[in-house]
Structures are given as structure tokens and as C-alpha cells.
Amino acid sequence: MDAKAKAFSSISTDQLGDPRHYTDVALDLADQVAKVYFPGGVTPFDHLTLPEVLACVELAAADLDELVQKYVPGSHLIRVRDLRSAKKATEWYRFGQNAMWVGSVFINPVQSGTRWAASRFGLDTLFDKLQGDVLLWFHTAFVHELGHYLIEMNSGRLKVGVKRYREIMAQHGEPPVEAAPVSAPAPPAGEVRPISLAVLGPVKAGKSSLVNVLVGQPAAIVDALPVAHVGIRYRMTFPGGQPLSILDTAGYGQDGADEAEFAAAAEASRDADLVLFVTTATNPGRKSDVDLLDRLEAWFAARPQMKKPPVLAVVNQIDLLSPKAEWSPPYDWRIGTRPKEVTIRDCVAAVKEQLGSRVLDAVPVCSRLGESFGIMDGLVPAIALQLDEARGSAMLRAFHVEGQADQFKKLGQQLVAGGKKALGILWENLKK
């Protein structure tokens, strides 16, 4: 990014007013940044979703607008065509000034020569330099702002959307010194309210395997305790002190929830910040799911002193969708054209249609041990969007850090396992 900015030692008004110049610079910079993160990529945008690209454009444009509005006087009045007019006006000014010098030479040659030299090598040079510096400043700011958000985009941090990204940055960005003095005491750990999730759904929908993936990633401390007639509650603490509580319910059968199973679902939802409603991708009908969600709606409506938590549908076991023999993640299920991507997209659309306004959204995942997909980069951001700023950003940060650490852990495990296998083969050959 710095190299791209420094590659332009000067910028002309023609370049500044030409939209194609910005397009060329943006595409070239996007290609260079993408190659750092994805060396094997075909184009700068193959690995990205459309919302991520739009978020990058919106954030960069907003920052540039703020800079121009603040530091360029009259920017709200200057049109693009005025830039071209300014160049012509400058040329006419120079022509008229030179004509004036030629005429004045015949009247007072010595004084005119002195004034011409002072103007030519003094104020005019300073004006030219100032004009060039302003144009170059804007162009450099354009490259820096765009480059910054291209990095954020390729790092995956714009998956949460513009609004949530700004909220997280406002909450956890570097604060001004006067706003957060070093001596300010940190809030006691006991005052941090835990994030509470309730996991509902039918039996054999993969609820427990989903919980295992979630609690296996960010937990600094994990405690599991049975909750009578409800399920298992997992309590853990993120690095940084944010507690998390996940209540994994026993579920219900194909015929729907009986009174005891519904009571367990209602109790689990009562104190939850968010309900994760797990349903299988291969289930063609979801009448029992719809019935449970409708009963929950009525249960909370009859208790106005309680607030029904938002419900997020988790479409699990997408690895079993057609074609069943194919499972080669990652999948870009939103816009991809591979057979599995199309099937996942159709499945999510069907779930949204069946569950309707009872759920906020539907997120496809695979929680199979060792083959999980769509949880860290899809479900966790979706959960964070439904939490308040501090707890949502704490959750995103913890899962991101621990997810990266887990990649190295997995690599280490693979190296150890591979080494053992190689030694075993060598030993068997020596015995022969």
C-alpha cells in the first residue's frame, strides 16, 4: 500500500478528474493485497462475498469524504468539471500574465524584469508546489484509505458488515488518551454479565456436536453441569474475562415436543440472550419445529414481564446434502455455482420460507468432528450481531484469536501423527 502511494510523485488535475484513473489504481491495489493473503487466487475478488466488497467500498468512501469535507475548503461546492475548468483558468492566467510582462518591458524594462523574476521563481513556484502537494495529498489519502479497508476485507474482518464493524471499532479501537486514562481501574470481573445462549431443536439434529465445536474453541475455563429436566449447561470464560453460558437442551422427537420437552425449551429460553434453533438440512418438513417456535411465542406473550430472545436458525449437517459424496469445503454457498453450493443455498432458502419471521436468519453449518464448516466464519459473527457491542466484539475477538491458535494446534497434531505414521512404516520395512 505504501509503495503504491509513493509510486506517484505528482498528480495532475486531469488524473484527479478522471474516474478511470481511480478504477485502475483500485483494481491494481486490490490485486496486490489479495495476492498477499491468497497467492493462488485467480482474481482479487474470487474469495469474497458481495457484501464484503460493498462494505470495503462504503467504508473507504466514507473516510475519504470526511477527510475532504474537513480539510479541503469549498469541497462541497467543487464539481468534477470544475477541476478541468481550473486547469484551463490557470493556463489562461499564465498566458495573460506573460502578455502583461511583455507589454511592461517596453515601459520599464529593469523593474519589469526584476518583478518577473521574483514572480517566476518566488510566489508562482510556491503556488505550483502548493497546488501539486494538495492534489498529491488527496491521491495518497485515497490509496491509504482504500488499502486499509482492502486489508480489513481480505483479513475477513468485514464479514460482520459496515454497521457492526464500526460498532466494534468504536468499542475496541485505540481511545484518545484523555478519554481513557491509564490509571482508570478496570471493572471487576464479577460485574461482567455472561453471554447466554440456549440451544434448541429436535433430537439427532447435531445440537451437542455444535456445542462441542463452540466450547472447544474459546474456553479458558469450561464447566459442564446438568440442569434438571432441561439439559447440560456449559460455562466458560473467554480470554479477557468475558463469560459465556451455553445451555444444550435434550430436544424433542419427530412428533413434536411434549409438555415436559416444551417446558425445558421455555426454561432454557427464559434467561437467554439468543436462542440457537438447530434443524437438520435433510429434513424435508419442519412442522414440529414451527409448532415449537409458535408455542414459545405464545408462552412469552402470556408473560409480558419477560422478553422473548431473538432466534437464529442453525441449519446443521449440510455435508449430507446432495451430492452426498462431495464434501470439500470451503463453500461460497451464497453465490457459488458448484453443485453443493447450489444445494446449500436452496436448503437455506427453504428453511427461511418454512420458519418465516419466527427466526432472524438461517446459517448453514457442518458440526461434524474434524469437518466443521460455517461456524467460526458464519455462525459466530451472526451471534455477535445480536449481542450488545461489548459482548459481541469480545466474542468475535476470542473466537478469532483462538481459531487461529487452533489452526497451529491442528498443524502440530498433523505433524505428530504424520511422523508417527512414517516411523511405523519405517519400522515395518526394517522388520522385513
Side-chain angles (χ1 to χ4, degrees), residues 134-188:
V134 170
L135 298 180
L136 188 59
W137 165 82
F138 174 79
H139 191 270
T140 302
F142 164 72
V143 174
H144 280 172
E145 291 299 326
L146 179 61
H148 168 73
Y149 288 114
L150 285 171
I151 292 171
E152 294 293 273
M153 178 178 68
N154 283 278
S155 300
R157 287 188 283 269
L158 297 188
K159 290 181 182 292
V160 297
V162 172
K163 180 181 178 182
R164 187 59 185 155
Y165 175 85
R166 284 175 172 157
E167 290 174 349
I168 293 172
M169 294 305 295
Q171 183 72 21
H172 294 275
E174 288 295 327
V177 176
E178 63 271 18
V182 178
S183 58

Side-chain angles (χ1 to χ4, degrees), residues 94-298:
R94 300 245 183 253
F95 177 81
Q97 189 181 49
N98 291 336
M100 182 191 70
W101 293 128
V102 171
S104 64
V105 164
F106 294 99
I107 301 172
N108 193 334
V110 176
Q111 185 179 9
S112 297
T114 304
R115 290 174 59 192
W116 178 84
S119 175
R120 177 66 180 84
F121 299 104
L123 292 177
D124 279 7
T125 302
L126 181 62
F127 175 79
D128 289 341
K129 187 177 188 308
L130 181 61
Q131 183 188 44
D133 286 348
V134 170
L135 298 180
L136 188 59
W137 165 82
F138 174 79
H139 191 270
T140 302
F142 164 72
V143 174
H144 280 172
E145 291 299 326
L146 179 61
H148 168 73
Y149 288 114
L150 285 171
I151 292 171
E152 294 293 273
M153 178 178 68
N154 283 278
S155 300
R157 287 188 283 269
L158 297 188
K159 290 181 182 292
V160 297
V162 172
K163 180 181 178 182
R164 187 59 185 155
Y165 175 85
R166 284 175 172 157
E167 290 174 349
I168 293 172
M169 294 305 295
Q171 183 72 21
H172 294 275
E174 288 295 327
V177 176
E178 63 271 18
V182 178
S183 58
E191 294 183 6
V192 179
R193 190 165 70 89
I195 298 170
S196 180
L197 305 178
V199 182
L200 310 182
V203 295
K204 297 183 180 180
K207 298 187 300 298
S208 296
S209 61
L210 175 66
V211 172
N212 287 338
V213 175
L214 288 172
V215 302
Q217 293 289 335
I221 302 172
V222 178
D223 293 319
L225 62 151
V227 179
H229 310 296
V230 177
I232 301 293
R233 183 182 297 280
Y234 295 85
R235 291 175 178 167
M236 65 208 71
T237 303
F238 287 144
Q242 173 64 60
L244 172 68
S245 172
I246 302 180
L247 183 53
D248 180 16
T249 60
Y252 51 89
Q254 290 183 340
D255 297 331
D258 58 27
E259 290 304 318
E261 291 166 341
F262 174 74
E267 183 176 345
S269 306
R270 184 181 56 192
D271 300 320
D273 293 308
L274 178 68
V275 170
L276 299 181
F277 187 82
V278 184
T279 183
T280 57
T282 54
N283 182 13
R286 293 182 170 81
K287 184 178 183 305
S288 59
D289 298 344
V290 171
D291 289 344
L292 178 76
L293 293 174
D294 284 342
R295 290 175 68 182
L296 272 179
E297 186 72 36

